[in-house]
Amino acid sequence: MCVAGKFSSFGGWYDCFECTSGTYSLAGAAECTSCEAAKSSSSDFSSCEDCAAGEYGDGGPCATCPQGKYSTPASASCTTCQVGRYAGAGQGECTLCGQGKYLNSTGAVAETQCKVCAIGKYNDIPGLGTTCPDCQKGKFAAATGYALCKDCVTGTYASEVGSAECLQCQKGSHSNSTGAATCSKCEEGKFTDYDGAVVCQVCPQHMELSEDEQTCVCLDTFVTKVDGSCTCKAGETLVDGECVPCEDGRYKDRPGTESCTICDTDAIRGAFNTLPGIPKTSFESCACGLGKFREPSDEDNPEKVLDSICKHCSEINLSDGVNCSKVGLTLATLPLKDGYWRSSPDSHNIVECQPEASCVHPPNTTDLCTIGHKGPICSVCEEGYNKNALEVCEPCSPAGASIGFYAICAILALATLYLVIRKIYGTIANCREEIQKTTADDKHWSKRLKTKAKILTSFYQIVSKFPSTLAIRYPDFYRGFTTAVSTIFNFNIVGLISLGCFIPQSIYGFYGSLFITTITPIVLSVLLFFMTDRQKRNLDPYAANQLTASRFGLFYGFTYLIFASTSTMAFTTFLCTTYGDDETSYLIADRSINCDSDFHKKVEIFSIIMILIYPIGITTLYSYKLWEHQAEIKNAEKRDSNQNIQNISFLWRDYRPEFWWFEIYECFRRLSFTGMLVIFEPGSPPQLCFSMILALVSLIMYANNQPFEKAEENTLAQISTVSIFLTLLAGILITLKESLSEEFSAQLGALLVITNMLVFAMVGAGVLFKPIFKIITKFNEKHIHDAPLKNMGPEVAYSVDLFIDYFKRLAESDANEAGWKPLEVKDWNGKKKKIKEWLEETGAKADWRCADGNGPIDQARIKYVVDADIETMMSAISSIKNTHSMTVGSFMYILDKGEDWRQVYRAIKLPWPFRQRDVVYTEHTRWEPGADVLVCCRSSRELSDSTSELSVKAGRMRAEMRMGGYRLRGIGSGKTEIVCLIDLALGGSFAIGYLHRHMAQNYLKGVVDMHRKFAEASKRDGAVSEPPPPLPFLPKVLAAAVNPMLAGSRNTDSSADDDLNIEMGRMIKKKASKVDDDENNIVVL
């Protein structure tokens, strides 16, 4: 029998077969029985058992539930897993998806089908069948699969649901609890300066909230340190809770709130300022104040600031040349004013530039020289530049030469053409004849101008050298003037040519000028004598001697012209000086030359030889020739015709015989003013004093000696010397004056030019005086009449009796007889009302006339009555005659006298600018029947002519008393009627009608006033007690000179003028040889 679980169809005892799954059998069963639903065979198929969980049975063996389904025990079928669950095969239940996951579909077969909650979502319930919910505000899920959302930590927030993260609280807000949905804004006055703040803070010291109140920022004047704190920046310090810049004169080189460091004690001694516009962040910002500069403490390191010192600009040599108007100047950056120079940036020695235009400093640069200039005091021209008349370097013209060069070429070409034409037409001989004729004619304009030309040449040769020789910074305008006149009067033809534009400086320059100036005259002189020797061979001895004399005269004239220029050039070789701190000795005439060079030493030897030839040689030659012929030269009557001395006439003809030696003095004078000044340091006080002494000595020599033949030439020489003196005086004033304003400099330059040109103007006036004077006299007011009594004829002029008769007749004549024209009130000078009152008071009647009947008025008379008898008035006329008008001076010398006559020398003093006059005349007195007295005078022509040279010596002009005097007539009651008549020719400008009439009116009025005053005094006490009242109708300049003359006689000691007048009277009396020299003949009025 088959055991349970097996069956056998054969009775159950053999061939037992196991039941199949889903069936069972009991022991001995012939077949297996199917299990009921939800059951399945046991393991031994002996019975049916319930299907296990995860299985199901539908009548057959229990089958495993497929994936996605589950079954409980004894289940006939499997159940599909719900949402949120999943099951693998054969599971008795579905597994829940875990927290942080969800499953929204059924029949899930594996956990992998569970979906993870997205970021910002969560699930804390297993088996969730729907999507994960969002995190609440204040919470977040930073990743997927969050079972629970996390709370935002303090300082963060989540303002939205489903936040994946919490945001940090922004600056200015905070959160001090977890799970915050928002951040709270900081309370007023608090801040957070970072994101995620938990609490708000109060701003630290020196800080304040920013405009967005999210952070603290430093107060306006503070800066932030590395650690975030606030402090004052470098260059500032804390004052009253804020940072302020360091005070002037202090600095701070690091941030902080401590005090600033004092410049004076820790950086630069004497620095109480700091550089404007520059942060005061280091000791280098310390600066010297206005009027000061920083002196480096380390000469090897002039840029070193520490421990340097401030000095006053006045400690700079020639401090006028620096501009200390800024703060923070250093020695190296010390700006120079235009017109000043220094040798280096560390030099204290400032030097004036000459001219100023060579040292014009461009702004904001350290350039010392104007473009085109270089070298010491910027006086050397750069290549491509050449000096103009003002010594300023200017670019060379495209043609490479100046206008002067082409002018010289043109002049030479014209001269050559002229000579060729005269040669072709055979007129060269005529040219020689014209020259000889001109030479023999003493009245030729060239002869009249020769002496003046010598004085002019000498004068301009001297003053043109002052700016360079004296090293005085004359105004540029005057320097340009002296350069121009130097070119002309020193015959510096080279100066007209811009040689520097096309000849190298090494060739053209001082050395070239020196050699040309000194060698050329020697060559020309040799050529002159060589040509003379050749020409003499074909001449007879007399003609040969004449030619030799003529050529020697030409030679002496030539040596005179080149004497100053060659001598000065030779002496200039030794005129060297240093500039600033540069120890090199430079030649003043050419500052590109080093005086210490070997070549210059050789040039100095050459110059010594030239000094022996020119200043010494020419002076020696002059001295020898003049000394050899002094006796012949001093012979005034024969020297002009003496052929032995005509070849040296250039040396003596200009001077009076007794001054035969004066040309030697002139050589020494010119040499002293030009060459000899180099023995002094240029511009030194001894040099200036020596120059002033020379000028004064020269003035004394000219004034006392009057060496020239003509008075106008003596005057010209004196004025030229005064001009030299004034030029030197101006130089001293420039040296003493610290600075010259631009306006004052221009005015001074113009004044000096005018002063120097005055000499030239005098020469021009002398040349033009006669033609101009002739033209003016043509327009003189004329008086025309046909009266019978005109000028006295020759028979009257040579007879004393006839002259006195003519005088009486003229004094008593009327208009019909002599053509007298009355002087009406309108004809008188001065205020007409006072003139009318004067005429009415005195009863005087005046008239004048032209003696020839057709021409200018030359004779005047006045008739008046005085309350005194004839004897009294004769006493007045005899003692003080001719002392009462501007035309009569204050001195009279009796040369000779008789019973009714006397010969008189009279000095006539005129007011400036008129030249002084004198006159020699004879006075006749005749008493006539009927109580008439005649006192008349006229010039002693012969004696006047023979003594005129004495007037020249005294600097006076000889006048002519053609006629003058008084007719006195007693009219009873002790009164006298007087007629005063005058015809005095003062010459010169008084030949002009207006001046002559003006003089005559003043004379007549002065006579009346004087005689009336004398008559009144004689009645009172017999003497004139006080001077007459002033003459209000006179021009002021004339009244000042006239009124003292009307004061009558004066018994005082002789003045210097009186001494000269006395000496003049004695010399004229000696010349006259008529009476002994009797001191009683002298009458000082």
Side-chain angles (χ1 to χ4, degrees):
M1 178 176 68
C2 295
V3 295
K6 292 184 180 185
F7 74 93
S8 176
S9 53
F10 298 102
W13 54 283
Y14 68 86
D15 294 327
C16 291
F17 295 96
E18 289 183 352
C19 291
T20 58
S21 177
T23 65
Y24 70 94
S25 67
L26 298 174
E31 57 180 8
C32 296
T33 303
S34 296
C35 294
E36 297 176 354
K39 292 186 183 289
S40 182
S41 302
S42 62
S43 59
D44 58 357
F45 299 106
S46 61
S47 62
C48 288
E49 299 176 349
D50 290 334
C51 290
E55 295 180 343
Y56 69 94
D58 56 357
C62 290
T64 302
C65 288
Q67 293 178 338
K69 294 184 178 183
Y70 74 94
S71 65
T72 57
S75 295
S77 63
C78 295
T79 304
T80 301
C81 291
Q82 300 296 318
V83 295
R85 290 175 169 78
Y86 67 89
Q91 286 192 322
E93 61 180 3
C94 291
T95 304
L96 297 173
C97 289
Q99 293 178 333
K101 297 180 179 181
Y102 74 97
L103 184 63
N104 57 359
S105 61
T106 59
V109 297
E111 185 180 9
T112 56
Q113 289 184 276
C114 292
K115 298 178 180 179
V116 180
C117 290
I119 295 174
K121 297 179 181 292
Y122 75 98
N123 179 24
D124 57 349
I125 303 173
L128 181 64
T130 60
T131 58
C132 299
D134 291 326
C135 292
Q136 298 174 352
K137 293 180 180 181
K139 297 178 182 292
F140 74 97
T144 59
Y146 265 51
L148 292 171
C149 291
K150 295 182 180 181
D151 290 332
C152 292
V153 299
T154 56
T156 63
Y157 72 99
S159 60
E160 302 291 339
V161 295
S163 297
E165 62 179 348
C166 292
L167 301 176
Q168 289 184 324
C169 293
Q170 293 182 350
K171 296 176 182 180
S173 63
H174 73 288
S175 173
N176 55 4
S177 61
T178 60
T182 59
C183 294
S184 301
K185 188 176 181 180
C186 290
E187 299 174 5
E188 186 175 356
K190 294 186 178 182
F191 80 101
T192 58
D193 57 355
Y194 59 91
D195 294 336
V198 177
V199 294
C200 294
Q201 306 173 19
V202 178
C203 287
Q205 187 180 18
H206 311 314
M207 301 185 80
E208 63 181 356
L209 285 175
S210 63
E211 291 183 1
D212 59 6
E213 299 182 350
Q214 294 180 0
T215 183
C216 284
V217 293
C218 293
L219 295 172
D220 289 341
T221 57
F222 290 81
V223 293
T224 305
K225 296 172 63 176
V226 177
D227 60 3
S229 62
C230 295
T231 189
C232 295
K233 61 184 177 182
E236 295 184 355
T237 187
L238 184 65
V239 176
D240 296 333
E242 61 178 346
C243 293
V244 297
C246 293
E247 297 177 1
D248 208 17
R250 294 172 179 257
Y251 72 95
K252 197 172 69 174
D253 56 3
R254 57 185 179 276
T257 56
E258 64 273 12
S259 300
C260 298
T261 304
I262 301 175
C263 292
D264 178 45
T265 56
D266 296 312
I268 305 174
R269 285 171 290 164
F272 300 101
N273 299 85
T274 43
L275 293 172
I278 297 178
K280 304 170 185 178
T281 56
S282 73
F283 58 80
E284 293 185 351
S285 66
C286 294
C288 300
L290 290 175
K292 295 183 179 181
F293 68 96
R294 176 169 60 81
E295 175 77 41
S297 57
D298 188 351
E299 294 184 359
D300 297 328
N301 184 17
E303 299 300 323
K304 183 179 179 182
V305 178
L306 204 60
D307 298 330
S308 53
I309 187 172
C310 289
K311 291 187 176 181
H312 285 278
C313 290
S314 58
E315 297 184 42
I316 292 286
N317 179 40
L318 197 59
S319 58
D320 283 344
V322 296
N323 184 3
C324 292
S325 60
K326 296 195 301 183
V327 173
L329 297 176
T330 67
L331 180 60
T333 62
L334 200 61
L336 300 181
K337 295 179 181 178
D338 288 346
Y340 293 88
W341 175 91
R342 58 177 173 169
S343 56
S344 65
D346 59 348
S347 174
H348 291 76
N349 291 324
I350 309 300
V351 184
E352 287 183 299
C353 295
Q354 296 180 358
E356 179 180 332
S358 63
C359 298
V360 177
H361 314 296
N364 303 321
T365 67
T366 57
D367 295 341
L368 296 175
C369 299
T370 308
I371 296 175
H373 296 75
K374 65 179 182 178
I377 63 172
C378 304
S379 61
V380 181
C381 291
E382 298 274 6
E383 292 297 328
Y385 287 81
N386 189 70
K387 288 185 177 179
N388 60 17
L390 292 177
E391 296 293 307
V392 177
C393 297
E394 57 185 13
C396 293
S397 64
S402 66
I403 296 176
F405 174 77
Y406 298 110
I408 292 173
C409 293
I411 292 172
L412 292 176
L414 291 174
T416 303
L417 179 62
Y418 173 77
L419 292 175
V420 169
I421 292 174
R422 298 206 68 159
K423 181 69 174 178
I424 293 174
Y425 290 98
T427 55
I428 295 294
N430 295 339
C431 182
R432 294 195 189 100
E433 291 176 3
E434 291 173 10
I435 295 175
Q436 293 174 355
K437 182 178 179 181
T438 299
T439 305
D441 184 6
D442 289 336
K443 294 184 178 181
H444 194 272
W445 64 268
S446 61
K447 278 291 190 70
R448 291 188 287 108
L449 282 180
K450 186 189 69 174
T451 306
K452 297 178 178 63
K454 286 178 64 176
I455 297 172
L456 271 182
T457 301
S458 174
F459 168 69
Y460 285 120
Q461 285 178 343
I462 290 171
V463 297
S464 65
K465 293 299 180 181
F466 281 167
S468 58
T469 305
L470 301 178
I472 294 176
R473 189 181 179 182
Y474 283 102
D476 287 346
F477 181 63
Y478 179 68
R479 290 178 60 83
F481 168 77
T482 57
T483 301
V485 299
S486 176
T487 301
I488 297 171
F489 288 96
N490 284 311
F491 304 95
N492 182 19
I493 304 300
V494 177
L496 294 174
I497 307 172
S498 300
L499 293 179
C501 287
F502 52 89
I503 297 179
Q505 182 68 26
S506 57
I507 299 176
Y508 167 71
F510 174 77
Y511 293 150
S513 298
L514 173 66
F515 296 143
I516 292 174
T517 303
T518 54
I519 297 299
T520 301
I522 296 176
V523 173
L524 293 177
S525 298
V526 171
L527 289 175
L528 176 66
F529 287 110
F530 176 76
M531 292 172 59
T532 303
D533 184 66
R534 290 286 301 271
Q535 292 174 330
K536 285 169 57 178
R537 296 175 185 176
N538 300 323
L539 300 176
D540 59 79
Y542 176 79
N545 290 335
Q546 288 292 100
L547 179 63
T548 301
S550 173
R551 294 297 167 83
F552 265 105
L554 180 62
F555 171 73
Y556 289 127
F558 178 64
T559 57
Y560 180 89
L561 295 177
I562 57 94
F563 176 81
S565 58
T566 53
S567 301
T568 302
M569 207 68 181
F571 278 109
T572 302
T573 308
F574 305 92
L575 195 59
C576 301
T577 188
T578 58
Y579 297 95
D581 292 332
D582 188 351
E583 296 181 356
T584 305
S585 179
Y586 294 99
L587 186 69
I588 292 179
D590 186 348
R591 296 178 181 91
S592 64
I593 294 176
N594 182 353
C595 292
D596 298 325
S597 65
D598 294 337
F599 184 75
H600 189 75
K601 298 300 180 185
K602 297 176 182 178
V603 174
E604 288 180 346
I605 296 174
F606 172 82
S607 295
I608 291 173
I609 297 173
M610 294 300 104
I611 290 173
L612 293 174
I613 293 175
Y614 289 107
I616 297 178
I618 291 177
T619 305
T620 302
L621 175 64
Y622 288 0
S623 301
Y624 171 76
K625 300 301 291 184
L626 290 172
W627 179 266
E628 180 184 18
H629 297 285
Q630 64 168 303
E632 296 171 282
I633 297 172
K634 290 164 68 175
N635 189 336
E637 297 180 358
K638 297 182 179 181
R639 66 175 188 168
D640 289 335
S641 58
N642 189 338
Q643 295 301 316
N644 291 333
I645 57 175
Q646 294 309 305
N647 61 340
I648 60 171
S649 62
F650 188 86
L651 305 179
W652 55 261
R653 190 180 295 277
D654 304 324
Y655 308 107
R656 293 191 286 120
E658 61 267 35
F659 292 100
W660 59 270
W661 50 268
F662 210 79
E663 193 63 49
I664 303 173
Y665 164 76
E666 274 291 289
C667 288
F668 281 105
R669 186 183 74 92
R670 297 166 67 197
L671 187 61
S672 299
F673 272 122
T674 53
M676 290 180 61
L677 292 179
V678 302
I679 65 177
F680 301 98
E681 181 181 353
S684 63
Q687 188 188 49
L688 294 175
C689 290
F690 180 72
S691 302
M692 295 287 283
I693 292 173
L694 284 176
L696 290 174
V697 170
S698 299
L699 184 59
I700 293 172
M701 287 289 290
Y702 285 129
N704 284 352
N705 293 307
Q706 301 288 320
F708 293 99
E709 284 277 6
K710 297 180 180 179
E712 62 266 24
E713 291 164 357
N714 287 312
T715 303
L716 181 64
Q718 293 173 44
I719 290 179
S720 67
T721 308
V722 171
S723 183
I724 291 174
F725 181 83
L726 293 176
T727 303
L728 291 170
L729 182 62
I732 292 177
L733 293 177
I734 293 172
T735 303
L736 296 178
K737 191 173 178 62
E738 294 184 356
S739 62
L740 295 178
S741 66
E742 184 176 349
E743 181 181 1
F744 179 76
S745 179
Q747 293 173 349
L748 180 60
L751 184 61
L752 285 173
V753 171
I754 292 173
T755 302
N756 288 177
M757 285 298 293
L758 182 62
V759 182
F760 185 81
M762 285 193 61
V763 175
V767 174
L768 299 176
F769 178 79
K770 287 188 177 180
I772 293 176
F773 184 78
K774 288 180 180 179
I775 294 173
I776 292 176
T777 53
K778 292 290 184 182
F779 295 95
N780 279 344
E781 180 180 343
K782 292 185 177 181
H783 179 220
I784 301 175
H785 65 88
D786 57 358
L789 183 58
K790 292 186 172 60
N791 211 345
M792 53 185 170
E795 68 282 357
V796 175
Y798 292 100
S799 170
V800 173
D801 290 335
L802 293 177
F803 169 69
I804 297 175
D805 291 339
Y806 175 83
F807 177 84
K808 178 181 179 182
R809 182 183 174 190
L810 185 62
E812 296 177 348
S813 62
D814 57 15
N816 292 328
E817 184 180 7
W820 291 107
K821 177 183 177 182
L823 268 77
E824 305 292 343
V825 173
K826 62 182 180 60
D827 297 322
W828 287 84
N829 300 313
K831 295 182 179 180
K832 307 308 177 186
K833 181 179 179 181
K834 291 188 176 182
I835 293 295
K836 183 178 180 181
E837 294 174 353
W838 180 82
L839 291 173
E840 292 175 350
E841 178 186 354
T842 60
K845 294 181 180 181
D847 40 24
W848 50 19
R849 72 166 193 156
C850 170
D852 292 328
N854 186 355
I857 291 173
D858 51 13
Q859 292 179 345
R861 71 176 182 178
I862 191 167
K863 182 186 292 186
Y864 53 98
V865 176
V866 294
D867 192 10
D869 56 26
I870 289 181
E871 289 76 10
T872 301
M873 296 314 299
M874 278 299 297
S875 174
I877 292 172
S878 299
S879 61
I880 60 172
K881 176 177 173 293
N882 291 346
T883 62
H884 33 243
S885 80
M886 83 167 199
T887 61
V888 180
S890 58
F891 182 86
M892 180 174 68
Y893 193 101
I894 308 302
L895 299 173
D896 197 2
K897 56 186 176 181
E899 182 178 353
D900 56 0
W901 63 272
R902 60 181 178 180
Q903 223 169 28
V904 179
Y905 167 74
R906 198 57 175 270
I908 303 175
K909 186 176 182 181
L910 299 179
W912 186 90
F914 300 110
R915 196 163 145 207
Q916 306 306 301
R917 265 67 166 178
D918 61 7
V919 61
V920 178
Y921 61 89
T922 302
E923 178 184 287
H924 303 276
T925 303
R926 187 166 77 183
W927 293 79
E928 293 196 336
D932 284 357
V933 180
L934 297 172
V935 179
C936 50
C937 54
R938 60 180 175 177
S939 289
S940 303
R941 188 175 300 277
E942 182 178 354
L943 182 58
S944 178
D945 291 344
S946 64
T947 60
S948 59
E949 74 276 2
L950 299 177
S951 295
V952 174
K953 178 181 178 181
R956 295 169 177 167
M957 178 182 289
R958 180 58 55 84
E960 181 185 2
M961 178 72 76
R962 292 185 294 222
M963 182 171 56
Y966 302 90
R967 193 273 288 158
L968 293 85
R969 175 175 294 169
I971 58 175
S973 303
K975 296 183 179 182
T976 303
E977 179 189 74
I978 302 177
V979 176
C980 174
L981 192 150
I982 182 68
D983 185 354
L984 175 64
L986 292 176
S989 56
F990 281 93
I992 298 174
Y994 169 77
L995 293 178
H996 184 77
R997 293 194 303 275
H998 191 92
M999 173 274 296
Q1001 292 178 14
N1002 295 336
Y1003 177 88
L1004 297 177
K1005 189 174 185 302
V1007 167
V1008 175
D1009 288 337
M1010 174 56 66
H1011 287 173
R1012 293 180 73 243
K1013 193 71 177 178
F1014 190 91
E1016 293 173 2
S1018 66
K1019 280 190 173 296
R1020 183 176 61 253
D1021 51 16
V1024 178
S1025 59
E1026 60 181 355
L1031 305 182
F1033 62 92
L1034 281 176
K1036 291 183 179 179
V1037 67
L1038 300 181
V1042 172
N1043 288 327
M1045 301 177 190
L1046 304 183
S1049 61
R1050 52 184 175 89
N1051 297 316
T1052 59
D1053 294 336
S1054 296
S1055 63
D1057 284 340
D1058 294 334
D1059 294 337
L1060 174 61
N1061 292 329
I1062 292 172
E1063 182 62 25
M1064 283 286 292
R1066 287 173 174 164
M1067 288 189 294
I1068 292 175
K1069 184 172 69 173
K1070 184 177 180 181
K1071 191 88 173 178
S1073 300
K1074 290 191 176 182
V1075 295
D1076 295 333
D1077 186 6
D1078 184 358
E1079 193 69 27
N1080 293 328
N1081 292 337
I1082 300 170
V1083 180
V1084 179
L1085 304 179

